[in-house]
Every structure is written in structure tokens, then in C-alpha cells.
Amino acid sequence: MIRAHEAQAIREAEAPLLAATPADALMTHAAFAVATAVLEELDRLGARRSGTTVLLLVGGGNNGGDALYAGAYLARRGLQVAAALCTDRPHERGLAAARRAGVRTHDVLDAAGRPREELLTVLADRAGVWLDGLTGIGARGALREPLAGIVTALADRRAAMPDEPTVVAVDVPSGIGVDDGTVAGPVLRADVTVTMGAAKPGLLARPAEALAGRLVVVDIGLGLGEAALARLGPADVADLLRPPLPTDHKYTRGVLGLVAGSTTYPGAAVLAAAGAMRTGVGMVRYLGPEGPTRLVHERFPEVVAGSGRVQAWAAGSGVDPADEGRAEDVRDALRRALADGLPAVLDAGALALAPERLPATVVLTPHAGELAQLLTERGERTSRADVEAAPLPAARRAAALTGATVLLKGATTVVAAPGGTTLTQADGGPWLATAGTGDVLAGVLGALLAQRAEDLAGGGDPDGALTAELAAAAALLHGRAGTRASAGGPVTALTVADALPGVVADVLASP
């Protein structure tokens, strides 16, 4: 599991270490890790170290010091290193160490504090690696001048270069929202981000995550408390799954009640059922009109039509809220779930039918447009663009407003529980953005909730922590199934569902 901590928590954890260690000890440790990451990236790219020039982009504060000390290490390893001093107050000891090691330093600000763009361009063109040490976790909001102009000029120059330089960010790419993943202004996109102590939420949430590249977390011995955000790995999901025991039967493996599909969208019922069955639920009970029921039975004769005892519900996929008959079926399923204290998934058409407040064991699964509508209907006027610009805060706000756990679908899935547990997953690829894959995800999640119903039912998860982890687990399984089904090319929703058993097997075998 990757655990991310907000900037304030990192600073508080660093304080006793800084007080107890010699000056710059943590900084030189971090700088060595940054230099190592640069060398490893050069090796990965097959580049000759002796023929590579590294440009340090040096801001004020500790990140600039990290970059300078890292430059000193690299210069002693035989690389050509230049430093663009983008501040009039560079870290003094770091600057001295860099100069002693042979780093060439250049003031790229004029007497008025404006960037000398011609000098900056010459330095940038000579370098195969740019080390971004402009700002760190203390920065808030968009970059201000002169850094905003420097980053904009460098980003434009990089885009025009036939061979783009490799960018390595120190701690975070300068300009991102460290705690929320927002991008309020220019950011120099990184190929690798070497982050200190722990990941930061902005490195695991869009849109900033897309600018961070490969993430390297450097342990510097911080005593950190509860994470602000987490990301599950296969071993974490294996711990959440409930593989069958020799004594199990179909009822003990979880029974999912499914209200999905309609005359207009009959295929959604098949896809949601496929997601549930392929994830390993013991039984699916399907409630739907004759056409979708026939279609489901043609594909999955083992699905049981009609009502009966269930351990969880999944409702809404392929349901038009304006279809009063199907809307009433969704409402009835939700009433039964609430009355029996059962977990439930509300997808697509069910979102508009949900009451104002729900328990944390109900998971809402909107995409950005649906979440914007949900927030707007609850008095917070929000557009799809607003959600896409700040998905992490939007999902958290929706969880607080509804009391439910929210799974916001997207390139990076955000899961937020009303008790504060937040996770993000980025296990799939862009080929998953195709019709019906969300229906499969609803089935996968419904299956996981049914399998763990004993832990969730009757108020067993009041703050939604376990429910959120199960939702993130569903996103991981779904994303990896999409990757397996794609093999680099297009997928259909059913091929994603068909890939699920192999993914579940791989996850259960994770060390």
C-alpha cells in the first residue's frame, strides 16, 4: 500500500529529526536519493553518463538545497552539471557544496528579478536532464513570478525540442496542489518524481498525478500517523478478498441482488451480472423486465431471476430514472437494503433516485458529470469541469454531503468515505473508457460487498473505512482486467469481465 501524507503532517514529522541531526543531514540524504534516481533513469534510457549534462533548476528553500546537493553528487560521478539559480536566495551550504564539486552556477534573474530567458534557453538546450528543485511542499496555489514565467518558458522550450530532456522533480513537480492534486497554473511535467518521507496526496490524484511521472518514495525515517490518502496494491486486495473455503456453499459465498438494465439498455444487466459472476460471488439474483432477463439467462443461465434473500445490492446500471417502472424497482431495492442494513452499490440511473442521506455502506459510483449533478442538486453548484479540475476534493465533499461512500470514476479512480478514508487507484488504461465498463465495475463491487457482508451489515462499518477499501479493491481488479483484456489495444466491456477470474487468481497469489 502506498500511503500519502499532507504537507503539514510531513513538516511536523520532520521537525524532531531536523532538531536531532546535524545541519543538512536530511537534505544530503534526500539529495543522494535524487542523484541516484537520475543515474538510474539514465541507465534505463541507455544514456552515457559522461556525455550527459544535468541542469539544476534551483529555487529558494530546502528543495533548491536538495537540488544543489544532488548536483554535487552527480558532478562527482562525472556528469556535467549546471545550475540555473532562479532565486536571489539559494541555499548557501548547498550552493557552496555544488561549486566545490565543479557545478557551474548561473544567475538567470536580472537585477529587477525577471527571468533572463535567453540564458535560460541556452542552458536548457545543452542539458539532457532537468532537475526541478524550484518549489516544494510549502508552496500554495499557482506559481508566482518569476517562477511561473520560468516554468512556462521551459515547458514551451521542451515541447519544441526534437529530443525532450528527462525531467526529475525533487519531492513534487513545482506548481502542483500538494494536498489535493489540483493544477492552478504552469507545471513542468516530470518523468520521475523523487518524493521525501512519504508520498503526497497530490502525487496520487488527478490532474497533478499525470504530471508526476514515475514515483520514487524515499524513506527518511519519519514517524507519520494516519495517512490522508492511500493506494492499494495486489497484496492489499488479496487481504480484502474472501476466497471460498471447503465448507462454503453458494449462500455463504455471497448473494447479490441486481437491479440493472432496461428495455432501452438491456445489455447493462448482462455486463453487471458478468462483473459479479466473474469476481466470484456465490449467486446473483436478478430483478428486471422480461427482455433483459432473457438476455441475462442466455449469457448466464446460473443467474436466478426474482427476489429472495441477498447479502448486498447493486442497482442502477442501464436504468433511466424517467422509466418509472424501473425507477421504482431501484427504489424498492434501496428500501430493502436500508431496512435490512445491507451494503449496496448505486450506479448510473440510481444516483438520481438516492435520498439526501445514506449510510456509509452504500457506495455511489458516479463519473464526473454525474458527480457534478449530485453536488448541484444538494446545493453546491458544480460543473463537470469543476470536478475534473479537482476530483479529490469533489469526491470528499460528496461523501460528506450524502453520508455514503463515493467512488468517482475516471483515469484515476477516487474513493472517499464519509469518515475520511480516501483512496485512489490508477490500475487501468485509456482503453477502459468504453461503453459498458462502468456496468462491469458495479457488478465487481457488488460482489465484493456481498462477500464481506458479515463485516458491513447492520451498521458494522459506520465510517465507511472498510467499504472504501472494498471499492478501491474493485477498481484495482477492474482496471487490471481492462489492462489484461486490452494487451495494448481496444477492449469491450465483456472482454474486461472475462479477464476478471485470471486477475483475481493473480491477486490472490500476490506475496
Short mmCIF file of all heavy atoms in Angstrom, two decimals, residues 9 38 48 73 93 104 131 150 162 194 233 237 290 299 336 350 372 428 471 476 484:
data_model
loop_
_atom_site.label_atom_id
_atom_site.label_comp_id
_atom_site.label_asym_id
_atom_site.label_seq_id
_atom_site.Cartn_x
_atom_site.Cartn_y
_atom_site.Cartn_z
N ALA A 9 1.55 17.46 7.92
CA ALA A 9 1.96 16.27 8.66
C ALA A 9 3.43 15.94 8.40
O ALA A 9 4.16 15.52 9.31
CB ALA A 9 1.08 15.09 8.27
N VAL A 38 18.39 9.93 -10.77
CA VAL A 38 18.85 10.46 -12.07
C VAL A 38 19.75 9.44 -12.77
O VAL A 38 19.58 9.15 -13.96
CB VAL A 38 19.60 11.79 -11.87
CG1 VAL A 38 20.29 12.22 -13.16
CG2 VAL A 38 18.64 12.88 -11.40
N ARG A 48 24.77 7.71 -21.94
CA ARG A 48 26.11 7.74 -21.37
C ARG A 48 26.19 8.83 -20.32
O ARG A 48 25.90 10.00 -20.58
CB ARG A 48 27.15 8.00 -22.47
CG ARG A 48 27.32 6.86 -23.46
CD ARG A 48 28.26 7.24 -24.59
NE ARG A 48 29.60 7.60 -24.10
CZ ARG A 48 30.09 8.83 -24.16
NH1 ARG A 48 29.37 9.81 -24.67
NH2 ARG A 48 31.31 9.08 -23.71
N TYR A 73 26.66 15.63 -6.00
CA TYR A 73 26.86 14.18 -6.14
C TYR A 73 27.06 13.81 -7.61
O TYR A 73 27.97 13.04 -7.96
CB TYR A 73 25.66 13.43 -5.59
CG TYR A 73 25.61 13.28 -4.10
CD1 TYR A 73 24.53 13.79 -3.37
CD2 TYR A 73 26.61 12.60 -3.41
CE1 TYR A 73 24.47 13.66 -1.99
CE2 TYR A 73 26.55 12.45 -2.03
CZ TYR A 73 25.48 12.99 -1.33
OH TYR A 73 25.43 12.84 0.03
N ARG A 93 24.68 26.63 1.92
CA ARG A 93 25.60 25.49 2.06
C ARG A 93 25.47 24.55 0.86
O ARG A 93 26.46 23.98 0.39
CB ARG A 93 25.30 24.73 3.36
CG ARG A 93 25.66 25.56 4.60
CD ARG A 93 25.45 24.76 5.88
NE ARG A 93 24.06 24.38 6.08
CZ ARG A 93 23.13 25.16 6.63
NH1 ARG A 93 23.44 26.39 7.02
NH2 ARG A 93 21.90 24.72 6.79
N ARG A 104 28.68 24.40 -12.42
CA ARG A 104 28.70 25.78 -12.93
C ARG A 104 27.37 26.44 -12.59
O ARG A 104 26.31 25.92 -12.93
CB ARG A 104 28.92 25.78 -14.44
CG ARG A 104 30.20 25.08 -14.87
CD ARG A 104 30.42 25.15 -16.38
NE ARG A 104 29.27 24.71 -17.14
CZ ARG A 104 28.98 23.43 -17.39
NH1 ARG A 104 29.76 22.46 -16.90
NH2 ARG A 104 27.92 23.11 -18.11
N LEU A 131 16.61 19.00 -13.51
CA LEU A 131 16.26 18.64 -12.14
C LEU A 131 15.44 19.78 -11.55
O LEU A 131 15.95 20.88 -11.32
CB LEU A 131 17.53 18.40 -11.33
CG LEU A 131 17.39 17.70 -9.98
CD1 LEU A 131 16.74 16.34 -10.13
CD2 LEU A 131 18.76 17.56 -9.33
N ILE A 150 9.37 31.27 -15.67
CA ILE A 150 10.45 30.32 -15.93
C ILE A 150 9.89 28.97 -16.34
O ILE A 150 10.34 28.35 -17.33
CB ILE A 150 11.35 30.20 -14.68
CG1 ILE A 150 12.17 31.47 -14.51
CG2 ILE A 150 12.27 28.98 -14.79
CD1 ILE A 150 12.93 31.55 -13.20
N PRO A 162 13.48 18.48 -30.39
CA PRO A 162 13.31 17.17 -31.05
C PRO A 162 13.53 16.00 -30.11
O PRO A 162 12.87 14.97 -30.21
CB PRO A 162 14.36 17.20 -32.17
CG PRO A 162 15.34 18.27 -31.78
CD PRO A 162 14.57 19.27 -30.99
N VAL A 194 10.91 12.21 -7.25
CA VAL A 194 11.55 11.59 -6.07
C VAL A 194 11.02 12.33 -4.85
O VAL A 194 11.39 13.48 -4.60
CB VAL A 194 13.08 11.68 -6.15
CG1 VAL A 194 13.71 10.94 -4.98
CG2 VAL A 194 13.58 11.12 -7.48
N GLY A 233 -2.31 -2.02 -3.30
CA GLY A 233 -1.60 -2.89 -4.21
C GLY A 233 -2.25 -4.26 -4.21
O GLY A 233 -3.18 -4.53 -3.43
N VAL A 237 -5.28 -6.04 -1.72
CA VAL A 237 -6.57 -6.54 -2.21
C VAL A 237 -6.74 -8.01 -1.85
O VAL A 237 -7.84 -8.46 -1.50
CB VAL A 237 -6.69 -6.30 -3.73
CG1 VAL A 237 -7.97 -6.93 -4.27
CG2 VAL A 237 -6.66 -4.80 -4.03
N GLU A 290 -38.81 -8.61 -18.74
CA GLU A 290 -38.65 -9.86 -19.48
C GLU A 290 -37.48 -9.83 -20.46
O GLU A 290 -36.68 -10.78 -20.52
CB GLU A 290 -39.94 -10.19 -20.23
CG GLU A 290 -39.88 -11.49 -21.01
CD GLU A 290 -41.16 -11.78 -21.76
OE1 GLU A 290 -42.17 -11.10 -21.50
OE2 GLU A 290 -41.16 -12.69 -22.61
N ARG A 299 -26.82 -15.57 -21.46
CA ARG A 299 -25.38 -15.48 -21.19
C ARG A 299 -24.99 -16.22 -19.91
O ARG A 299 -23.96 -16.87 -19.85
CB ARG A 299 -24.98 -14.01 -21.08
CG ARG A 299 -23.51 -13.78 -20.78
CD ARG A 299 -22.64 -14.04 -21.98
NE ARG A 299 -21.23 -13.88 -21.66
CZ ARG A 299 -20.25 -13.93 -22.55
NH1 ARG A 299 -20.53 -14.13 -23.81
NH2 ARG A 299 -19.00 -13.77 -22.17
N ARG A 336 -35.13 -1.88 0.67
CA ARG A 336 -34.84 -3.17 1.30
C ARG A 336 -33.43 -3.19 1.86
O ARG A 336 -33.18 -3.72 2.95
CB ARG A 336 -35.05 -4.29 0.30
CG ARG A 336 -36.52 -4.46 -0.10
CD ARG A 336 -36.71 -5.35 -1.30
NE ARG A 336 -36.29 -6.74 -1.05
CZ ARG A 336 -36.37 -7.69 -1.96
NH1 ARG A 336 -36.81 -7.42 -3.18
NH2 ARG A 336 -35.99 -8.92 -1.66
N ALA A 350 -29.48 5.06 -10.72
CA ALA A 350 -29.84 5.04 -9.31
C ALA A 350 -29.36 6.27 -8.56
O ALA A 350 -29.90 6.60 -7.49
CB ALA A 350 -29.28 3.78 -8.64
N ALA A 372 -21.05 16.02 -10.58
CA ALA A 372 -21.39 17.44 -10.64
C ALA A 372 -22.88 17.65 -10.44
O ALA A 372 -23.31 18.56 -9.71
CB ALA A 372 -20.95 18.02 -11.98
N GLY A 428 -5.97 0.87 -14.46
CA GLY A 428 -6.40 0.60 -15.82
C GLY A 428 -5.68 1.48 -16.82
O GLY A 428 -4.68 2.14 -16.51
N ALA A 471 -14.25 -0.78 -2.25
CA ALA A 471 -14.48 -0.05 -3.50
C ALA A 471 -13.17 0.15 -4.26
O ALA A 471 -13.11 0.00 -5.49
CB ALA A 471 -15.14 1.30 -3.21
N LEU A 476 -9.22 -1.70 -8.54
CA LEU A 476 -7.97 -2.37 -8.93
C LEU A 476 -8.26 -3.59 -9.80
O LEU A 476 -7.64 -3.77 -10.87
CB LEU A 476 -7.17 -2.76 -7.69
CG LEU A 476 -5.83 -3.46 -7.95
CD1 LEU A 476 -4.79 -3.05 -6.92
CD2 LEU A 476 -5.96 -4.98 -7.96
N ARG A 484 -5.39 -6.40 -18.90
CA ARG A 484 -5.17 -7.76 -19.40
C ARG A 484 -5.97 -7.99 -20.69
O ARG A 484 -5.45 -8.56 -21.66
CB ARG A 484 -5.59 -8.79 -18.35
CG ARG A 484 -5.47 -10.22 -18.83
CD ARG A 484 -5.82 -11.20 -17.73
NE ARG A 484 -4.81 -11.23 -16.68
CZ ARG A 484 -4.47 -12.31 -16.00
NH1 ARG A 484 -5.06 -13.47 -16.25
NH2 ARG A 484 -3.55 -12.26 -15.06
#
